[in-house]
Amino acid sequence: MTTLTWDVQTPRGPARVTSPAPRAVWDEIVAADPLAGPSHLPAWSDSVCRADGWTEASRLYELPGGRQAVLPLVRRAFAGSPGDPKLLTVQASFPHGWGSGGIVAPGGAGVGDVAVVLADLAAGRELQTLLRPGFAAAAAWREAWSGASGRVPVRIPVQTHVLDLGGGLDEVWSRRLSSKARTGIRSARRKADSAGLVIEVGSSPQLVEDLYDVYLRWVARRAVQRRMPRRVARLRAMRAEPLRRFRTVAAAFEDQCRIWVARLDGIPIAAAIAVFHGGVGVGWRAFSDRELAGPLRAHELMQFLAVEHACRIGCRYFDMGESGGVSTLAHVKDRLGGTRQHLAEYAFERVPLSRFDSGRIALRGYVERRVLTMDHAADRPRP
């Protein structure tokens, strides 16, 4: 892969940019950032590229005074541009479905670091560059964005839940979880024992397959609720969440990736996958067969087991991720002690792709809600 270098002007002098970032330097900077998560590792970028067909495009910033920072970044070029090939190129840190990216820097990214990155990306000619910084650097990105001049990215609000694990599992259990959550988890454990629920954990290929099996059954149930053909829902779901994505991450992260699968009579009925690095754990995905797992509260138990593991290996925070507008899922994360974090995506765009995508998702959600409301009204007995 060809290495490129260029300069970015800052108030304190030029900053040198190298892309792709040298792996040895990248590893050193990740080790010096106390809240660098698993998605900031080179292995995560490699997984995105291997599973979804992106190209590595990370950037090392050498700032005036010797400070260094790395922006994990992947790129995808679309064929057919008659002129500048960058005009049909999109970049992301990271693509949707791959969690947060943003800058890693010794001691954590500061406002000055973010300002240099924004100035560099603003000078680019790509069709779109999408940035989704994690919770740890959200304040620095917000401040740098509000003070930026020239070409400023579109800011798109995002909400996630983050659980503070300070004090360890005892502190989390007694002070962060709600009384309803503690009661629910105790009940789930009793019901699991009584029903003969078997919970396996690891990162083996079989557990990946079981996780995906639960995912597809979850999709099938939602299709029935929305009066959607199951085949259409399944194909759309497999395109949105391909199996190779989970296989790739599990193989790349090994013991840093943990999958919990709950089996009832040998059938997987609930599953969760989480990835860990240093002081941060990330709950990446969780699914359940509601008809079988609901009475046993297996979904909630899976979520807590991931939190429990994060505490045991010394994580400082557990990122529960977005809830996708699903109020019941957000409510579970609230009960489990997650604090709602108001973050943002930042998009440099030649064409307003992010607004189009947000509008499409909102329209689809509105139509689905209307269909469900009409179905429920039709099912109610009439006087």
Side-chain angles (χ1 to χ4, degrees):
M1 184 180 295
T2 303
T3 299
L4 303 175
T5 60
W6 62 93
D7 290 338
V8 178
Q9 293 302 318
T10 77
R12 293 189 297 157
R16 173 54 58 95
V17 186
T18 303
S19 180
R23 289 302 174 92
V25 180
W26 188 348
D27 287 334
E28 290 175 3
I29 292 174
V30 167
D33 189 328
L35 290 181
S39 61
H40 292 117
L41 296 172
W44 191 264
S45 293
D46 290 342
S47 296
V48 177
C49 296
R50 193 175 301 120
D52 284 4
W54 293 76
T55 300
E56 163 65 19
S58 58
R59 298 185 180 187
L60 168 66
Y61 293 86
E62 298 175 272
L63 309 177
R67 182 171 170 80
Q68 295 178 314
V70 166
L71 174 68
L73 190 69
V74 294
R75 173 183 296 134
R76 177 179 285 166
F78 297 93
S81 175
D84 188 344
K86 286 188 176 181
L87 295 179
L88 287 180
T89 295
V90 295
Q91 301 179 137
S93 183
F94 278 106
H96 288 156
W98 283 98
S100 60
I103 309 168
V104 283
V111 177
D113 305 325
V114 177
V116 172
V117 171
L118 290 178
D120 176 38
L121 296 175
R125 298 186 300 276
E126 289 79 11
L127 179 64
Q128 182 191 60
T129 299
L130 184 65
L131 305 164
R132 179 178 289 210
F135 67 92
W141 279 85
R142 186 165 50 248
E143 184 175 344
W145 174 81
S146 63
S149 58
R151 187 183 174 206
V152 179
V154 176
R155 187 175 185 272
I156 307 159
V158 175
Q159 181 178 271
T160 187
H161 281 73
V162 177
L163 174 59
D164 184 347
L165 304 179
L169 184 59
D170 290 343
E171 186 77 6
V172 170
W173 177 265
S174 61
R175 294 185 178 273
R176 312 258 161 72
L177 270 66
S178 70
S179 59
K180 287 185 177 180
R182 293 194 296 269
T183 300
I185 292 167
R186 292 191 190 101
S187 174
R189 291 189 186 279
R190 288 194 300 270
K191 290 179 178 181
D193 291 340
S194 177
L197 195 70
V198 176
I199 298 175
E200 294 184 45
V201 59
S203 58
S204 69
Q206 183 58 56
L207 290 176
V208 175
E209 299 288 337
D210 293 336
L211 170 78
Y212 205 70
D213 176 63
V214 177
Y215 166 60
L216 292 180
R217 281 191 281 125
W218 174 78
V219 167
R221 188 177 189 280
R222 285 173 61 88
V224 172
Q225 290 177 329
R226 285 161 173 72
R227 305 293 177 90
M228 179 187 295
R230 290 193 183 189
R231 179 176 174 79
V232 172
R234 181 184 178 93
L235 290 174
R236 194 170 78 176
M238 293 174 71
R239 185 170 60 249
E241 293 278 24
L243 175 57
R244 65 179 178 273
R245 184 177 290 180
F246 301 106
R247 286 175 173 167
T248 301
V249 169
F253 281 81
E254 298 181 331
D255 288 345
Q256 289 177 282
C257 174
R258 310 301 286 169
I259 301 171
W260 289 263
V261 173
R263 303 181 194 278
L264 185 64
D265 298 327
I267 300 173
I269 65 168
I273 180 171
V275 193
F276 305 87
H277 169 75
V280 179
V282 177
W284 194 28
R285 298 288 190 276
F287 311 108
S288 66
D289 183 333
R290 189 172 178 181
E291 185 176 346
L292 297 174
L296 301 178
R297 307 189 73 147
H299 178 76
E300 195 166 344
L301 182 57
M302 296 291 98
Q303 298 272 15
F304 178 72
L305 291 176
V307 170
E308 189 176 52
H309 180 76
C311 290
R312 286 176 175 167
I313 63 175
C315 288
R316 182 67 177 80
Y317 294 97
F318 188 75
D319 186 347
M320 296 176 168
E322 297 177 50
S323 299
V326 181
S327 59
T328 53
L329 182 55
H331 185 56
V332 169
K333 294 175 182 179
D334 288 335
R335 289 209 316 266
L336 288 174
T339 300
R340 299 190 183 202
Q341 303 283 325
H342 298 283
L343 314 180
E345 287 182 345
Y346 299 86
F348 287 101
E349 299 175 314
R350 296 289 178 186
V351 178
L353 299 176
S354 59
R355 295 178 186 176
F356 172 78
D357 195 48
S358 299
R360 178 183 58 80
I361 293 171
L363 177 60
R364 188 177 71 189
Y366 170 77
V367 171
E368 289 181 346
R369 288 193 298 272
R370 289 289 296 172
V371 169
L372 287 173
T373 301
M374 292 169 65
D375 287 344
H376 291 326
D379 290 340
R380 283 198 296 266
R382 298 182 181 274

